[in-house]
Amino acid sequence: MTDLRKDYPDVPLAPPTPVEQQQCAYCAGTGWRETHIDDRGLGHGDRCVHCGGRGIVWVEVDHV
C-alpha cells in the first residue's frame, strides 16, 4: 500500500477539515418536509432530500 508521506514527501498534505453533526435546517431535524395541506386540512409530506430523512447533516467547522 502506498504511504503518501513516505513515498511522496514533497506533496503537501492538507490537514483534515473538522466536521460535526448538526440538525438539518430544512426539516428542523424531523427528517420530513411538509409539501402541502389539502382541502380537508391534512398535511402531506415527503422525506427530506437534504438529510436523507435522518434529520442530521455533517457540516464543516470554521476555525475560530
Side-chain angles (χ1 to χ4, degrees):
M1 179 163 200
T2 302
D3 182 10
L4 291 177
R5 294 185 193 278
K6 180 181 173 190
D7 297 335
Y8 302 98
D10 297 335
V11 176
L13 297 176
T17 305
V19 294
E20 68 181 11
Q21 288 185 348
Q22 289 184 354
Q23 183 176 349
C24 178
Y26 293 98
C27 66
T30 62
W32 293 89
R33 294 185 66 192
E34 190 171 292
T35 55
H36 69 281
I37 298 176
D38 63 11
D39 297 336
R40 295 180 288 172
L42 297 175
H44 298 273
D46 293 318
R47 282 179 50 180
C48 179
V49 296
H50 298 282
C51 65
R54 293 182 42 219
I56 54 173
V57 292
W58 288 97
V59 284
E60 294 181 4
V61 178
D62 292 332
H63 294 288
V64 180

